[in-house]
Amino acid sequence: MKITDMQAACGLAQLDRVDDFVAARRKNFDLLTQRLKGMEEIFILPEATPNSDPSWFGFPLMLREGVDAKRVDLTRFLDQNKIGTRLVFAGNLTRQPYFQHVEHRVVGELTNTDRVMNDSFWVGVCPAIDEARIDYIGEKLEEFFGMNF
């Protein structure tokens, strides 16, 4: 892909702020991790891999097996409460319509891939999100699951 001169100029101007953006994303990720610690029986919370220090794009959440909730109902509830969510990209690519007529090979049942596709989503940790909004995300998740902390 080739960007326009205007897009390149905007990108260069943003480079002066990249350290602040990265710090804010890491801070928001840490705040959300702490806020959702009490919900570990419901969600598998994300963790950085050893010896890494990521600038998080988002905060992925996966419903634990046995949780009596559907991701679609939860994300609809969050959307109705002005909390944006996204799916974890394409999920199980072999389930995409494109693959119906393409010869491909699958090894195993792809159980975990299906779980990611069906039970996972993420919320943002962009620099514009502040501590009050992080707390609001936590409150709404607790409300959905009928929790009172």
Side-chain angles (χ1 to χ4, degrees), residues 19-31:
D19 291 337
D20 293 337
F21 292 155
V22 169
R25 286 181 178 280
R26 288 180 177 143
K27 177 184 174 194
N28 287 341
F29 183 90
D30 291 341
L31 287 170

Side-chain angles (χ1 to χ4, degrees), residues 2-41:
K2 183 178 178 192
I3 61 174
T4 67
D5 289 346
M6 182 60 78
Q7 291 167 325
C10 290
L12 285 172
Q14 293 292 68
L15 283 177
D16 293 337
R17 301 174 59 197
V18 73
D19 291 337
D20 293 337
F21 292 155
V22 169
R25 286 181 178 280
R26 288 180 177 143
K27 177 184 174 194
N28 287 341
F29 183 90
D30 291 341
L31 287 170
L32 200 50
T33 298
Q34 292 307 309
R35 182 63 177 82
L36 300 183
K37 279 286 187 200
M39 300 187 81
E40 286 185 297
E41 71 277 5

Side-chain angles (χ1 to χ4, degrees), residues 51-144:
N51 302 314
S52 70
D53 189 20
S55 172
W56 293 93
F57 177 72
F59 195 92
L61 291 164
M62 179 184 277
L63 292 168
R64 289 196 180 271
E65 289 186 87
V67 170
D68 188 27
K70 292 187 184 308
R71 183 209 56 214
V72 67
D73 296 330
L74 174 55
T75 55
R76 186 176 298 127
F77 172 81
L78 293 173
D79 184 58
Q80 290 168 350
N81 284 279
K82 309 289 188 225
I83 298 170
T85 64
R86 297 290 183 271
L87 300 183
V88 180
F89 304 104
N92 185 342
L93 293 177
T94 66
R95 307 267 190 246
Q96 298 296 324
Y98 168 80
F99 273 92
Q100 290 177 359
H101 306 291
V102 173
E103 187 176 330
H104 61 281
R105 181 175 73 105
V106 175
V107 176
E109 297 295 318
L110 303 181
T111 304
N112 289 331
T113 306
D114 284 335
R115 285 219 47 236
V116 169
M117 181 177 66
N118 295 319
D119 298 332
S120 299
F121 67 99
W122 60 263
V123 294
V125 292
C126 75
I129 298 174
D130 58 17
E131 198 163 344
R133 288 182 175 98
I134 297 278
D135 197 48
Y136 179 74
I137 293 169
E139 287 172 8
K140 290 302 169 183
L141 287 169
E142 291 165 358
E143 180 181 327
F144 181 84

